[in-house]
Amino acid sequence: MAIILKVQNLHKAFGGLRAVVDVSFQLEAGQLMAMIGPNGAGKSTCFNLINGQLNPDQGSIFIMGQKVNGEKPRDVWKLGVGRTFQITSTFPSMTVLENVQMSLLSHNRRTKSLLTNVSRLYVAEAMALIDLVGIADQAHRSCGVLAYGDLKRVELAVALANQPKLLLMDEPTAGMGPAERQGLMKLTESIVHTREMGVLFTEHDMKVVFDYANRVIVLNRGKMIAAGPPDEVQKNNEVKKIYLGTASS
Amino acid sequence: MPKLEKGILLGFYFVQFLTGLSDASALFLVACGLSLIFGVLRIVNLAHGSFYMVGAYLAYYLIANFPQGAFFFWAGILLAALTVGTIGIVIETLLLRRLYYAPELFILFATFGIVLIFQDLSRWFFGAEDILGQQAPGLAGSIDIMGVLLPQYDVVLIVIAPLILVGLWFFLYRTRWGILVRAATEDREMSDALGVNQSRLFTGVFFLGSCLAGLGGAIQLPKGGANLLMDLNIIAAAFVVVVVGGMGSIPGAYLAAVIIGELSAFGVLIFPQSTLVLMFLLMAVVLVMRPHGLLGNAEPEVQGAAKMSTATLKPASKKLKLLGLALLILLFMMPVFVGSFGLVLMTEIALFALASMSLYFIMGPGGMVSFGHAAFFGGGAYAAALTVHYMQTPMELAILLAPLLVGLVALIIGWFCVRLSGVYLAMLTLACAQICWSIVFQWGKFTGGDDGILGIWPSAWASDKTVFYYLTLILCIGGIMALRHFIFAPFGYTLRACRDSSLRVDSIGINRHRHQWFAFTLAGTFAGFAGGIYVFSKGNVFPDVMAIPRSFDFLFMILLGGIETLFGPIAGSAAFTWLHDQIARIDYWQLILGCIFILLVIAFPDGIAGSIHTRLGRYFED
Ligand SMILES: Nc1ncnc2c1ncn2[C@@H]1O[C@H](COP(=O)(O)OP(=O)(O)OP(=O)(O)O)[C@@H](O)[C@H]1O
Ligand SMILES: [Mg+2]
């Protein structure tokens, strides 16, 4: 299988706070990898390092074999990396459809066009993506008024618009009920397989993690304390102590 | 430079250096007052330059009426500063306090209203003539430094700024009040929770900041005198200081003021024409190397001005389209109804509508509030006038060249401006516009300076008022429709996306700065286009067309008409131009305009247009 993402000895500190300490892992096409850990473990920081929002202090990141340290997020995106945020970030003055169109416009390098009219561009493609993530009925509503769970779906559609090879999903199911969570993860799973891409996601719902992830990485205070298939990680004593122990209580 | 002996040359450079230091002190006082007020009250006080001017005038007036002598000289200066501080208290308690929760732009407007009021009041009380300041008793001579003379008073100025710097440091770090001020600067909510009496703190800080501005004006009196241009000149320079030194950093303000002082002291030797160009280059270097200023921290989230619109963009409803069509027909039939005087006014309205629409383009969809848009409008007028004056360019060509030349200027200015956002961006645009204005104003040999350029008339075929009206109308409607089209095009959407969420835009591969830069340039080009036509409608051009008050006129047109609608800038320009025409015949009309600004802002704290929109908007839906 093709290696999509390779992270080696990644370090990041904010002042004295060591948020990510010596993290290494790799992700293959077709894999759904979960990154778990208690609040403040450094998961979002890892995501920010991978998509270029932050610069690592040490270590290297390869996406499809290309080193991306120090690249800007927009250049990382161009390599085929889609991203959703823990706190959703959409364009509130635009409808769902327009949000997805924006991503398609950027993908097709049409953002500087002055003469065409957006209402006629990539509508069908955008609608297909919106349909895929299951919010076709919301397509013409403004993102400024959407429910949180639906915004997460908008972000997914936006991220999928550039046909990414790597999808980074920071808490994709936050704000959803249990059934909706399962639905979204099933959808993600099927997209991973049909599109041959890799997904790295964080999640606080352990059921979701162990039902859908092929591999799990556990972070605690920035350090990677376990990595492997879900059932192995589940048995790891250290993980049980610092993480699952608190989760099950 | 004359040939000098080596020793004297060294002395000459040293004295030049000291002159730079003394120039820096008044600037530092104004800038640190501005910074203090912004830090605690989160208000960019545009009237700060007016306080400086009033300080200078008051000091002159007091010293002239006091008995002679050193004691009364310094008493006059101190009293002037305290009086300005008291004026600050009055303004803060009567006006600003009502506006702390209004949109940021409205507060800025109110403070600009104060600028206008103080302009006219100063003219009324002190006259329009420049005033030469009194010499400080006992300090009127010069000292000899290695064979070169330095005025004794410069030494006073050199010493005062560091003294104030140390004094402020002591106040901020060693007194209870100072600690409160710092707490409020760093975290407003927290200082609320600490049980700080907020309104007293605000008033106190505003008093202190105003005093510093007044003191700045007063102490520079023996050196620079007093005149009516001081207010906007110093506020622009202070904005440069803040951008260069870092917002909120008082040592940064001193450092930047010194750099600017030195730059102009030595710049005179290299570029006698315009030391302002150096100021511009300085900002360029600093913004590239350290976007938050030399000693500033990362820009705090100041969103207010940018976060104006979350409404989605809808194409005009059928009813609105019909209304627009009716208006268009009416406009084309205008020459039947109104005389040539009315046509001149209508021509002006059309041109202002295009200019304010171009400002709206970056302000509404772009979220970039510019306080210097008149630089482009006026720049277009000058570009056209200069090509006609020096190269006898025909009108048709001049009207085409103007936007291109201005577009180039906007390209350069925009490159800096898009690196900042919110009020910082607004401050930078104001500073850049003031620099452009000063260049035109000071470079008399080329631009005619204050006397302007006269005799720029349209080609023979367009010299009839009606023909010129039709020409303007068609060009302006074309320009407005083009801008409107851009808003609905991918570029306009991208611009809105950049305004809405830079995080998201970044993560879908869009280069935010580049799009905003392009938009800024485009807006400047269209404003320049309007300006190019404007000069032919007037027949002459004066530096006023690109001065800061004109920039505020454009902003006001947009606020009047409404930021939420594309139609707003057009309605706003009509209303404003009419209003302006009504009051411009009165002496001291700026006073009236300033009062109107303030009254409107107080009466409609949620936005003038917002109020109208909510009341009438539903009648125009399908
Ligand atoms: N920009 C920043 N500046 C300073 N500290 C930061 C910054 N971003 C994150 N941190 C700190 O780094 C640590 C890791 O944060 P991170 O957001 O990566 O955790 P997380 O695993 O995503 O937690 P959560 O499950 O709550 O989302 C936290 O202590 C956080 O406070
Ligand atoms: Mg997180």
Side-chain angles (χ1 to χ4, degrees):
Chain A
M1 269 288 156
I3 293 171
I4 295 209
L5 170 69
K6 191 159 134 190
V7 171
Q8 285 177 331
N9 310 99
L10 212 55
H11 287 262
K12 180 72 189 178
F14 298 110
L17 180 85
R18 307 208 306 164
V20 172
V21 184
D22 201 21
V23 169
S24 307
F25 63 89
Q26 65 181 42
L27 176 67
E28 289 163 14
Q31 238 178 16
L32 250 145
M33 181 185 274
M35 183 180 267
I36 62 171
N39 290 110
K43 305 180 295 290
S44 297
T45 306
C46 267
F47 275 45
N48 289 341
L49 290 167
I50 294 169
N51 93 317
Q53 228 161 279
L54 292 173
N55 269 333
D57 297 337
Q58 269 181 54
S60 35
I61 302 159
F62 297 89
I63 292 171
M64 321 251 268
Q66 198 168 331
K67 192 164 177 178
V68 296
N69 290 34
E71 298 263 358
K72 297 194 173 66
R74 57 171 188 267
D75 296 322
V76 174
W77 181 84
K78 283 179 189 143
L79 289 174
V81 178
R83 159 108 206 235
T84 73
F85 293 95
Q86 179 169 356
I87 297 164
T88 57
S89 173
T90 55
F91 306 128
S93 78
M94 295 185 197
T95 63
V96 171
L97 175 64
E98 288 164 344
N99 265 271
V100 181
Q101 275 175 297
M102 271 317 305
S103 196
L104 286 163
L105 285 168
S106 173
H107 179 58
N108 292 291
R109 305 190 179 233
R110 294 288 294 273
T111 55
K112 292 198 186 71
S113 162
L114 283 171
L115 299 179
T116 46
N117 193 313
V118 170
S119 65
R120 287 191 286 275
L121 290 170
Y122 309 112
V123 177
E125 290 97 316
M127 280 311 292
L129 285 166
I130 293 169
D131 202 30
L132 180 69
V133 300
I135 44 173
D137 53 331
Q138 310 275 347
H140 295 284
R141 289 187 69 199
S142 160
C143 277
V145 299
L146 232 52
Y148 198 66
D150 288 341
L151 282 176
K152 287 271 175 196
R153 289 169 188 269
V154 175
E155 282 212 316
L156 179 57
V158 165
L160 288 173
N162 79 341
Q163 285 155 6
K165 284 282 152 220
L166 171 63
L167 197 56
L168 303 169
M169 301 167 77
D170 204 345
E171 304 198 5
T173 67
M176 297 181 182
E180 204 185 348
R181 283 180 185 201
Q182 294 286 334
L184 187 89
M185 288 316 291
K186 271 210 183 72
L187 170 71
T188 311
E189 196 177 38
S190 80
I191 297 172
V192 167
H193 291 130
T194 51
R195 294 199 177 191
E196 272 299 299
M197 58 181 196
V199 172
L200 181 63
F201 71 103
T202 69
E203 181 58 69
H204 282 291
D205 182 342
M206 285 310 117
K207 182 158 165 42
V208 167
V209 170
F210 293 112
D211 283 356
Y212 293 95
N214 314 119
R215 273 181 79 80
V216 178
I217 300 176
V218 189
L219 290 188
N220 187 33
R221 301 190 182 183
K223 290 199 189 73
M224 233 170 91
I225 55 165
D231 41 349
E232 233 171 72
V233 167
Q234 226 163 349
K235 288 187 203 115
N236 183 310
N237 275 333
E238 205 177 346
V239 174
K240 273 187 194 159
K241 199 166 75 205
I242 68 114
Y243 190 69
L244 300 178
T246 54
S248 60
S249 67
Chain B
M1 214 187 319
K3 270 196 185 149
L4 296 166
E5 285 179 34
K6 214 171 183 189
I8 297 203
L9 196 64
L10 200 68
F12 176 76
Y13 282 132
F14 188 58
V15 166
Q16 209 63 26
F17 170 75
L18 292 177
T19 308
L21 274 188
S22 79
D23 285 345
S25 60
L27 184 54
F28 163 68
L29 291 186
V30 175
C32 77
L34 194 72
S35 253
L36 269 178
I37 291 177
F38 180 78
V40 176
L41 284 76
R42 299 284 190 272
I43 285 180
V44 176
N45 180 24
L46 289 166
H48 217 66
S50 307
F51 292 169
Y52 170 80
M53 178 174 77
V54 171
Y57 274 119
L58 273 180
Y60 175 82
Y61 181 79
L62 289 171
I63 294 168
N65 287 293
F66 278 170
Q68 303 262 314
F71 172 77
F72 284 104
F73 175 85
W74 294 107
I77 286 193
L78 219 58
L79 196 59
L82 291 174
T83 312
V84 172
T86 313
I87 295 174
I89 292 187
V90 172
I91 289 175
E92 198 273 339
T93 45
L94 288 187
L95 173 63
L96 298 179
R97 185 168 291 181
R98 298 164 193 275
L99 296 173
Y100 289 137
Y101 297 99
E104 205 165 49
L105 199 56
F106 279 71
I107 306 177
L108 284 164
F109 248 89
T111 63
F112 190 70
I114 300 170
V115 171
L116 293 178
I117 291 172
F118 275 113
Q119 256 296 314
D120 271 1
L121 285 182
S122 303
R123 192 154 57 92
W124 189 13
F125 283 127
F126 305 108
E129 299 298 316
D130 290 5
I131 286 174
L132 272 181
Q134 299 95 339
Q135 292 303 315
L139 295 166
S142 298
I143 51 172
D144 186 315
I145 296 176
M146 292 184 265
V148 185
L149 295 180
L150 178 77
Q152 281 172 345
Y153 193 73
D154 278 22
V155 180
V156 176
L157 289 177
I158 291 171
V159 176
I160 280 182
L163 280 182
I164 300 266
L165 181 65
V166 172
L168 274 178
W169 182 87
F170 190 83
F171 165 72
L172 287 175
Y173 286 84
R174 287 288 177 274
T175 66
R176 203 184 85 87
W177 262 82
I179 291 166
L180 292 182
V181 168
R182 273 171 42 231
T185 305
E186 267 143 42
D187 189 339
R188 212 174 179 178
E189 273 86 50
M190 189 156 95
S191 65
D192 276 357
L194 287 174
V196 177
N197 183 335
Q198 209 184 31
S199 62
R200 266 180 59 197
L201 182 71
F202 279 21
T203 311
V205 168
F206 204 81
F207 171 75
L208 179 62
S210 309
C211 274
L212 286 170
L215 184 63
I219 58 161
Q220 63 79 54
L221 183 68
K223 201 178 174 186
N227 61 62
L228 290 172
L229 297 177
M230 287 169 83
D231 52 352
L232 291 176
N233 275 335
I234 196 82
I235 196 80
F239 283 179
V240 175
V241 166
V242 166
V243 168
V244 169
M247 186 51 120
S249 163
I250 288 172
Y254 184 63
L255 183 64
V258 167
I259 293 175
I260 288 170
E262 294 304 339
L263 214 55
S264 40
F266 285 98
V268 168
L269 306 176
I270 309 162
F271 273 130
Q273 284 304 333
S274 186
T275 51
L276 292 158
V277 175
L278 292 175
M279 203 130 106
F280 206 84
L281 291 177
L282 172 70
M283 280 198 291
V285 174
V286 170
L287 282 175
V288 173
M289 314 288 280
R290 291 186 62 93
H292 305 301
L294 292 173
L295 300 182
N297 296 320
E299 188 176 312
E301 286 293 313
V302 189
Q303 294 203 313
K307 278 262 150 107
M308 274 193 295
S309 168
T310 53
T312 56
L313 194 62
K314 288 192 197 90
S317 66
K318 277 217 181 70
K319 273 187 200 164
L320 259 183
K321 275 186 181 150
L322 278 177
L323 190 75
L325 192 68
L327 187 71
L328 213 60
I329 293 170
L330 191 70
L331 283 175
F332 272 96
M333 307 219 331
M334 225 28 153
V336 181
F337 306 123
V338 300
S340 77
F341 189 79
L343 275 188
V344 171
L345 195 67
M346 294 295 297
T347 307
E348 197 163 307
I349 290 176
L351 290 164
F352 286 165
L354 175 56
S356 58
M357 185 71 184
S358 71
L359 175 59
Y360 171 81
F361 183 70
I362 47 172
M363 215 170 119
M368 298 183 278
V369 177
S370 164
F371 285 176
H373 210 59
F376 305 128
F377 181 78
Y382 266 97
L386 289 169
T387 52
V388 171
H389 188 75
Y390 286 104
M391 298 186 291
Q392 282 74 47
T393 317
M395 175 190 83
E396 298 78 4
L397 190 60
I399 286 180
L400 282 180
L401 280 176
L404 294 181
L405 292 171
V406 171
L408 216 61
V409 175
L411 196 72
I412 297 168
I413 293 180
W415 186 87
F416 301 101
C417 292
V418 299
R419 260 141 241 277
L420 299 180
S421 59
V423 285
Y424 299 92
L425 172 102
M427 285 164 60
L428 191 57
T429 53
L430 187 143
C432 290
Q434 183 72 359
I435 289 173
C436 291
W437 172 83
S438 309
I439 290 173
V440 167
F441 190 76
Q442 287 173 359
W443 200 3
K445 267 192 216 139
F446 182 58
T447 61
D450 209 11
D451 299 327
I453 303 172
L454 310 178
I456 312 296
W457 295 111
S459 303
W461 65 269
S463 61
D464 177 65
K465 290 268 177 281
T466 312
V467 176
F468 197 82
Y469 169 70
Y470 279 124
L471 176 71
T472 308
L473 193 62
I474 291 168
L475 291 177
C476 288
I477 289 174
I480 289 170
M481 294 307 278
L483 283 167
R484 185 181 175 281
H485 190 85
F486 298 161
I487 291 174
F488 285 92
F491 181 71
Y493 268 77
T494 309
L495 203 56
R496 269 173 52 226
C498 295
R499 173 197 70 189
D500 277 7
S501 167
S502 59
L503 191 64
R504 173 47 73 194
V505 146
D506 235 16
S507 64
I508 58 171
I510 292 170
N511 186 336
R512 177 166 67 99
H513 282 163
R514 184 163 308 161
H515 285 83
Q516 290 181 331
W517 185 24
F518 185 29
F520 200 91
T521 308
L522 204 61
T525 308
F526 274 80
F529 183 50
I533 307 169
Y534 180 76
V535 69
F536 288 101
S537 77
K538 289 276 166 190
N540 50 45
V541 61
F542 300 100
D544 287 8
V545 277
M546 53 198 302
I548 301 301
R550 178 51 58 80
S551 292
F552 276 84
D553 289 350
F554 292 140
L555 280 170
F556 192 56
M557 291 174 201
I558 291 177
L559 287 191
L560 206 59
I563 193 84
E564 299 285 347
T565 66
L566 300 179
F567 190 61
I570 301 170
S573 324
F576 181 83
T577 313
W578 176 81
L579 178 75
H580 198 277
D581 189 62
Q582 295 300 307
I583 61 172
R585 288 164 218 164
I586 309 166
D587 233 6
Y588 302 110
W589 59 270
Q590 292 197 83
L591 187 81
I592 300 171
L593 190 62
C595 291
I596 293 176
F597 278 10
I598 291 173
L599 285 179
L600 279 177
V601 166
I602 291 180
F604 302 101
D606 301 327
I608 302 155
S611 317
I612 298 170
H613 193 76
T614 41
R615 255 168 251 168
L616 298 179
R618 64 199 146 95
Y619 295 117
F620 292 103
E621 274 159 26
D622 278 331

